[in-house]
């Protein structure tokens, strides 16, 4: 062949491979409201930055007549590109080719791009749309998954790993997203489960739809497996771009800094957000927006365990991770799910050099048989572990209540917060005044002529003595009692001061967190 003929041959080979599963399969994909794998990659990345590799990889299946089948790209597209100015590695399973099922070479393409991401220390984005292990390839398909899970674990805490579920993600396949940092789901498109409705019916006799079993809402609201929920693929891609702007490329870098912008205090004014009655709820997201740059708060796991709020914002142009009790949901109490949610986020921020700002207003850990039997001790301990382990700058503001274990867990000085500030309304005590008075003045109340009157008087007495920030401040557990409107100023200064913080820890292989 001449050089020209060789070039023509290359073009033909590329055209064939780029057809994916062919027009019929593509039509079917589109009819379900889904984009094709390549369209998805192009929609996520900055224009004209995608470079595809391993287009000509052939599948390795031999049984069940597989050796006679051509599966373009073996059902997965891999490559590199630029996302909001960041270099990224990316892969997208192509459902139009054998249902995006994962065979040995399909897995090899994924693990190759994962190895690149880890070597180049850039974020990895994986788009899942697959029927799971390619049944015809048997144990080689299982081996492929194992290789992916191993790399997900090696990359954990080194490069950001983002999973996007844009179709079925069934069987063992779900464990790759579960090992990554952020999982994105789209309403009516994403389906994640270990075993599908058919198996559930056979084994348990229960009838359930795919949507009810593992649809996007289920994972965003109930299981907490998903961190971001979108109504459409386009919305989902915007969320990914937004996320990328807040996080560093890898664990050796800091997140990009931006020009500092004041909050929109005409809309979010602290004095108007906090109710005068300290028992009334309020939305802590409004407090965050009253404090952070441009009042822009990027919330994570918004619909799951809403009694705690986590997410990214900027202070003085720098990314910080906010962890805040949410008084308007279950009074902001810490329970199993909210503990898991907070602890994982604290560990993410710590791994990726993102300072932590903790806003405290909670009555403590949630009591009761259900929580105790489901393991609130073990799950609650994760918060203590995560904060104690974290060495990034840790700044805490006690807004109102900080009772009992909740006071300690929400990044107190005792877990080595760098700065703890308190508003003048802060109440720091072993427990709430009502409960405390009932216990320590039990006899006085019982023997009084008017027990109700005596109880009220004792509650007032207790409140006066302990339900304020000054006892803790007298012991140095609070660094400064500040006016709420000074919060942003104190936080930005504390961040500047802590910018070069280094904390040396006892050398060990790793700790044993209460998983
Ligand atoms: C091989 C598969 C496949 C698979 C789908 N296909 N899943 N091929 N292995 N796992 C093929 C189909 O044969 C079909 O090929 C094409 O993909 C499209 O599939 P359809 O069934 O026509 O599509 P749809 O009706 O949209 O249904 C999609 C689906 C269904 C819900 C995902 O295909 C399905 O239930 N698949 C099996 C899901 C599953 O049980 N996976 C778990 C595998 S075990 P043609 O040639 O007709 O176009 C597992 C364990 C891993 O994953 C453990 C790791 C630790």
């Amino acid at each position: 062949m001449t050089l020209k003929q060789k070039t023509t041959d290359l073009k033909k080979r590329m055209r064939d491979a780029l057809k994916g599963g062919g027009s019929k399969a593509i039509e079917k994909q589109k009819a379900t409201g889904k984009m094709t794998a390549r369209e998805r990659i192009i929609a996520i990345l900055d224009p004209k930055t995608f470079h595809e590799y391993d287009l000509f990889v052939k599948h390795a299946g031999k049984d069940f007549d597989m050796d006679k089948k051509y599966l373009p790209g073996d059902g997965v597209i891999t490559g590199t590109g630029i996302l909001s100015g960041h270099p990224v590695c990316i892969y997208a399973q192509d459902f139009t080719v054998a249902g995006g099922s994962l065979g040995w070479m399909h897995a090899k393409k994924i693990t190759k791009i994962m190895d690149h991401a880890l070597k180049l220390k850039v974020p990895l984005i994986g788009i899942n749309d697959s029927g799971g292990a390619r049944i015809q390839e048997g144990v080689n398909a299982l081996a492929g998954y194992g290789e992916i899970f191993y790399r997900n674990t090696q990359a954990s805490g080194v490069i950001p790993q983002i999973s996007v579920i844009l179709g079925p993600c069934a069987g063992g396949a779900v464990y790759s997203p579960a090992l990554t940092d952020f999982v994105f789901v789209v309403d009516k498109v994403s389906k994640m489960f270990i075993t599908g409705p058919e198996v559930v019916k056979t084994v348990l006799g229960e009838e359930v739809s795919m949507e009810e079993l593992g649809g996007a809402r289920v994972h965003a609201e109930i299981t907490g497996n998903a961190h971001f929920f979108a109504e459409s693929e386009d919305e989902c891609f915007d969320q990914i771009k937004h996320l990328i702007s807040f996080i560093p490329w890898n664990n050796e870098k800091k997140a990009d800094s931006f020009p500092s912008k004041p909050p929109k205090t005409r809309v979010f004014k602290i004095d108007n957000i906090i109710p005068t009655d300290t028992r009334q709820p309020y939305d802590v997201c409004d407090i965050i927006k009253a404090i952070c740059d441009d009042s822009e708060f990027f919330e994570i796991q918004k619909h799951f365990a809403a009694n705690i709020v986590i997410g990214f914002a900027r202070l003085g142009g720098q990314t910080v991770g906010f962890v805040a009790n949410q008084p308007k949901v279950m009074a902001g109490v810490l329970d199993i799910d909210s503990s898991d949610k907070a602890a994982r986020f604290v560990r993410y921020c710590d791994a990726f050099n993102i300072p932590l700002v903790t806003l405290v207003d909670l009555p403590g850990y949630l009591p009761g048989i259900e929580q105790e039997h489901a393991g609130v001790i073990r799950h609650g301990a994760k918060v203590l572990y995560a904060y104690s382990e974290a060495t990034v700058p840790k700044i805490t503001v006690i807004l109102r209540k900080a009772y009992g274990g909740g006071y300690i867990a929400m990044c107190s000085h005792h877990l080595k917060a760098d700065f703890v500030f308190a508003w003048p309304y802060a109440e720091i005590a072993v427990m709430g005044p009502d409960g405390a008075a009932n216990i320590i003045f039990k006899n006085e109340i019982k023997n009084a002529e008017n027990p109700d009157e005596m109880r009220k008087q004792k509650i007032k007495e207790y409140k006066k003595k302990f339900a304020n920030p000054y006892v803790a401040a007298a012991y140095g557990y609070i660094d400064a009692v500040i006016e709420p409107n000074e919060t942003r100023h104190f936080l930005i200064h504390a961040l500047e001061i802590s910018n070069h913080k280094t904390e040396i820890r006892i050398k060990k292989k790793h700790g044993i967190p209460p998983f």
Side-chain angles (χ1 to χ4, degrees), residues 28 95 98-99 101 131-136 142 145 149 168 170-172 210:
K28 194 178 159 194
F95 193 82
S101 57
R134 187 171 300 150
I135 297 161
Q136 299 91 324
L142 300 183
Y145 275 120
F149 302 158
M210 273 203 210

Side-chain angles (χ1 to χ4, degrees), residues 145-326:
Y145 275 120
E147 297 286 336
I148 293 171
F149 302 158
Y150 175 81
R151 283 166 178 80
N152 284 136
T153 309
Q154 298 311 305
S156 180
V158 182
I159 52 168
Q161 297 186 82
I162 292 169
S163 296
V164 198
I165 316 299
L166 294 181
C169 181
V174 295
Y175 286 110
S176 176
L179 288 166
T180 62
D181 305 326
F182 298 106
V183 177
F184 289 74
V185 291
V186 174
D187 199 19
K188 312 272 186 330
V189 173
S190 315
K191 318 255 183 284
M192 280 177 98
F193 34 71
I194 303 237
T195 50
E198 283 304 319
V199 179
V200 172
K201 195 173 165 190
T202 313
V203 179
L204 301 164
E206 291 172 3
E207 298 249 8
V208 65
S209 70
M210 273 203 210
E211 199 61 37
E212 289 165 328
L213 187 63
R217 281 185 195 278
V218 169
H219 292 299
E221 292 169 15
I222 301 172
T223 67
N225 287 330
H227 300 84
F228 297 96
F229 171 89
E231 301 283 348
S232 67
E233 295 196 20
D234 283 326
E235 189 191 346
C236 170
F237 301 154
D238 284 343
Q239 290 173 341
I240 296 170
K241 287 174 204 173
H242 206 165
L243 171 70
I244 282 280
S245 75
F246 281 106
I247 58 178
W249 300 2
N250 61 50
N251 66 337
E252 286 170 359
K253 291 203 182 314
K254 286 198 171 187
D256 291 345
S257 58
F258 288 74
S260 178
K261 281 187 183 172
K264 295 172 179 153
T265 42
R266 259 196 247 154
V267 188
F268 301 103
K269 205 172 165 56
I270 293 181
D271 292 343
N272 298 343
I273 299 165
I274 292 281
T276 41
D277 178 349
T278 55
R279 281 169 307 182
Q280 287 296 311
Y282 59 91
D283 187 348
V284 80
C285 293
D286 289 345
I287 298 288
I288 296 172
K289 289 175 190 167
I291 295 171
C292 69
D293 287 15
D294 207 24
S295 300
E296 190 198 349
F297 176 49
F298 187 58
E299 194 173 346
I300 300 167
Q301 285 184 310
K302 191 174 180 170
H303 309 285
F304 172 69
N307 40 328
I308 206 151
V309 166
I310 57 170
F312 296 121
R314 291 189 186 91
L315 281 167
Q318 306 294 329
T319 295
V320 294
F322 270 98
V323 181
N325 307 117
Q326 175 56 287

Side-chain angles (χ1 to χ4, degrees), residues 356 457 493:
L356 284 158
Q457 192 189 316
H493 180 70

Side-chain angles (χ1 to χ4, degrees), residues 68-85:
K68 298 188 187 77
K69 281 197 178 163
Y70 169 54
L71 302 181
D74 201 5
V76 64
I77 292 152
T78 61
T80 52
I82 306 291
L83 173 50
S84 305

